[in-house]
Amino acid sequence: MTREARGPKEGDFITIKSYKHDGSLHRTWRDTMVLKTSENALIGVNDHTLVTEDDGRRWVTREPAIVYFHKHYWFNIVAMIRDNGVSYYCNLASPYVLDKEALKYIDYDLDVKVFPDGEKRLLDVDEYQDFSQRWQYGEETDQILKANVLTLVDWINHHKGPFSKAYVDLWYQRYQELLRRSN
């Protein structure tokens, strides 16, 4: 079986591409290390990863971050591991697709930020309203996204999956093991 047919395996590096609803490329992350793949999810890590914006600007991520993507949920989760604790950045986005080029999804503008003290903020509501009108997201997409905000907040409130300390510790430890093995 070819690599493309079976998908990336633990320790492989992939590219992540986010698009806007109109199909335009929004942002690209180079060399995300895959920690786990399953039928429906992919867990990876970005650590000093090159990010390219749609206008060509480039920057490098500052701290390790565990990334979580799912084929059935309309969000993805970035757990940023910082000295003062774990912060989360959650993108309301389409479920991902993975092809030989990259992991890809559509970014739907709304974001939820969770601070180390547990404070939550819904971000970019104005941007979401502007783009939903410009690109005509439609009632169905709007309802799906609003339902997924509720699911996401439930996960946050109940420390489910990526929002549990044990999850972040486990995957960060696995990342460190893979780094040691490759050196």
Side-chain angles (χ1 to χ4, degrees):
M1 213 179 229
T2 67
R3 177 181 158 176
E4 287 78 26
R6 66 173 169 76
K9 65 182 189 315
E10 179 185 75
D12 285 350
F13 289 89
I14 63 169
T15 297
I16 297 172
K17 292 186 173 194
S18 76
Y19 294 85
K20 288 299 186 180
H21 186 78
D22 70 347
S24 61
L25 184 62
H26 174 55
R27 187 172 288 135
T28 303
W29 291 259
R30 285 273 318 275
D31 296 330
T32 296
M33 182 191 280
V34 174
L35 299 177
K36 179 178 172 48
T37 58
S38 67
E39 183 179 341
N40 293 316
L42 184 139
I43 301 167
V45 66
N46 288 327
D47 191 359
H48 294 88
T49 299
L50 177 64
V51 180
T52 304
E53 301 288 343
D54 60 356
D55 63 4
R57 283 182 303 123
R58 296 168 158 225
W59 53 279
V60 175
T61 60
R62 292 189 311 244
E63 65 271 313
I66 306 298
V67 295
Y68 172 87
F69 296 89
H70 199 281
K71 288 185 178 174
H72 298 297
Y73 293 111
W74 285 63
F75 53 79
N76 57 63
I77 301 165
V78 180
M80 298 167 288
I81 302 164
R82 297 180 169 154
D83 292 339
N84 65 338
V86 178
S87 292
Y88 294 90
Y89 202 88
C90 312
N91 298 292
L92 273 292
S94 69
Y96 78 93
V97 295
L98 183 64
D99 62 23
K100 62 185 177 186
E101 181 190 18
L103 181 150
K104 300 172 181 176
Y105 65 90
I106 298 170
D107 182 310
Y108 279 102
D109 321 306
L110 284 174
D111 303 301
V112 176
K113 174 124 189 214
V114 184
F115 295 87
D117 66 2
E119 177 192 348
K120 296 180 284 294
R121 282 193 203 151
L122 183 62
L123 306 175
D124 302 329
V125 174
D126 292 345
E127 187 179 326
Y128 173 76
Q129 290 171 339
D130 291 346
F131 286 136
S132 73
Q133 288 176 353
R134 182 186 313 170
W135 292 324
Q136 301 175 347
Y137 290 172
E139 185 64 27
E140 184 180 6
T141 300
D142 187 60
Q143 292 304 315
I144 289 168
L145 292 168
K146 287 176 179 171
N148 275 265
V149 168
L150 297 176
T151 301
L152 186 59
V153 169
D154 182 67
W155 283 27
I156 294 165
N157 290 341
H158 293 97
H159 306 285
K160 184 175 177 181
F163 299 102
S164 91
K165 181 176 177 353
Y167 175 101
V168 173
D169 291 346
L170 171 81
W171 292 112
Y172 184 62
Q173 181 181 357
R174 185 67 189 135
Y175 166 61
Q176 291 177 314
E177 290 168 8
L178 290 169
L179 275 184
R180 282 193 296 274
R181 191 187 301 168
S182 67
N183 289 336

